[in-house]
């Protein structure tokens, strides 16, 4: 990932500033150590590339050995072994753990939603509600947890929301304008009720699209899916939680989009334990 080096450099600069004064005061310059990052709670790892890049950005001479791989549900255990200069390990520790914990948290929450939807046929989508500067890594973490990426930004997919429809004069005119402007891009249309579903389908004229059924309860979702009748893919959105996801999926929709995957995922609990060797 080309932007990873820049991200690591910026996050390290934020933490280190002109230097790690505590380690400089207490750890001999040439002291060697071994350390291990340990997963302390159940979950799915993501962000190991970022963690490794952080250690190597501080000191290319550090030796790294993976003890686990991303994308697998694990209860706990060793993740990454590090050996080399003690000061270097300590300088990189917090930045590496911040990235690894944050991204593993996203992967873990995604995996919980994937488990909640097992057997329904529905898939979990992320959104653009990401941490500024971390979008690419957070979307990668969603994939590690078994989810599916929605659009990356405002440029790679047409997504007509209520504000676009209001400005265009309604869902129908907005759909017609979008298809005329960028016929090669995927098209998603937010629909707040069945009348907007009908308007979107009529304006699409058989063009491929996905209808985002916003803030509809399961009975209305079922009615909407039946009304669409396979003429478009379907997506449920709007405040769907782990407790309500399965009921929404059982309506027959194709996707559930969950902003919480990236804006509210708790960090996975990981720690680094260091032992001086000489």
């Amino acid at each position: 990932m080309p932007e990873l080096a820049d991200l690591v450099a910026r996050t390290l600069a934020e933490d280190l500033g002109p230097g790690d004064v505590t380690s400089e005061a207490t750890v001999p310059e040439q002291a060697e150590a071994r350390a291990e990052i340990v997963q302390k709670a159940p979950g799915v790892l993501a962000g190991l590339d970022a963690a490794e890049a952080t250690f190597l950005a501080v000191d290319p001479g550090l030796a790294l050995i993976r003890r686990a791989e991303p994308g697998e549900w694990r209860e706990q255990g060793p993740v990454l072994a590090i050996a080399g200069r003690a000061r270097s390990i300590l300088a990189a520790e917090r930045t590496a753990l911040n990235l690894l914990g944050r991204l593993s948290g996203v992967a873990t929450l995604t995996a919980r939603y994937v488990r909640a939807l097992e057997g329904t046929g529905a898939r979990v989508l992320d959104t653009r509600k990401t941490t500024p500067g971390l979008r690419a890594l957070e979307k990668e973490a969603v994939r590690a947890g078994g989810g599916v990426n929605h659009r990356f930004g405002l440029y790679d997919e047409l997504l007509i929301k209520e504000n676009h429809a209001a400005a265009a004069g309604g869902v129908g005119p907005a759909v017609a304008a979008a298809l005329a402007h960028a016929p090669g891009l995927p098209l998603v249309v937010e629909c707040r009720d069945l009348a907007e579903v009908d308007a979107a389908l009529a304006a699409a004229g058989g063009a491929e699209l996905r209808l985002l059924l916003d803030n509809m309860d399961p009975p209305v979702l079922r009615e909407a899916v039946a009304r669409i009748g396979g003429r478009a893919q379907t997506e449920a959105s709007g405040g769907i939680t782990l407790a309500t996801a399965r009921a929404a999926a059982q309506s027959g929709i194709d996707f559930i989009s969950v902003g919480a995957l990236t804006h509210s995922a708790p960090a996975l609990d990981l720690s680094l334990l260091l032992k001086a060797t000489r």
Side-chain angles (χ1 to χ4, degrees), residues 116-117 120 218 221-222 243-252 256:
L117 301 186
T120 67
L221 282 174
R222 283 192 292 273
T244 61
R246 188 167 187 85
Q250 288 173 331
S251 66
I256 290 178

Side-chain angles (χ1 to χ4, degrees), residues 259-272:
L261 298 182
T262 50
H263 72 58
S264 296
L268 187 64
D269 189 8
L270 301 126
S271 65
L272 181 145

Side-chain angles (χ1 to χ4, degrees), residues 209-222:
L209 76 163
R210 182 164 78 243
L211 299 183
L212 192 163
L213 309 174
D214 190 47
N215 284 300
M216 297 184 185
D217 59 27
V220 180
L221 282 174
R222 283 192 292 273

Side-chain angles (χ1 to χ4, degrees), residues 21-101:
V21 293
T22 308
S23 294
E24 290 169 3
T26 62
V27 180
E29 185 175 359
Q30 299 305 320
E32 297 284 315
R34 294 185 181 277
E36 189 170 62
I37 293 177
V38 177
Q39 178 181 339
K40 300 166 67 178
V44 175
L45 292 173
L48 272 170
D49 287 346
E52 291 172 342
T54 301
F55 285 107
L56 295 177
V58 169
D59 185 347
L62 292 175
L64 309 176
I65 300 175
R66 286 193 183 189
R67 303 296 192 197
E69 290 298 327
E72 298 177 1
W73 186 276
R74 306 169 75 245
E75 293 303 307
Q76 57 185 18
V79 173
L80 182 68
I82 311 107
R85 293 181 64 215
R87 282 190 185 182
S88 299
I89 296 172
L90 293 171
E93 173 187 2
R94 178 42 49 197
T95 297
L97 287 175
N98 283 351
L99 289 168
L100 188 59

Side-chain angles (χ1 to χ4, degrees), residues 3 9 99 105 117 123 127 150 153-154 175 177 206 234-235 247 249 257 259 273:
E3 61 270 31
L99 289 168
L117 301 186
R123 292 182 287 172
T127 71
H150 215 300
L154 293 173
V175 170
T234 53
E235 172 186 342
S257 54
L273 304 174

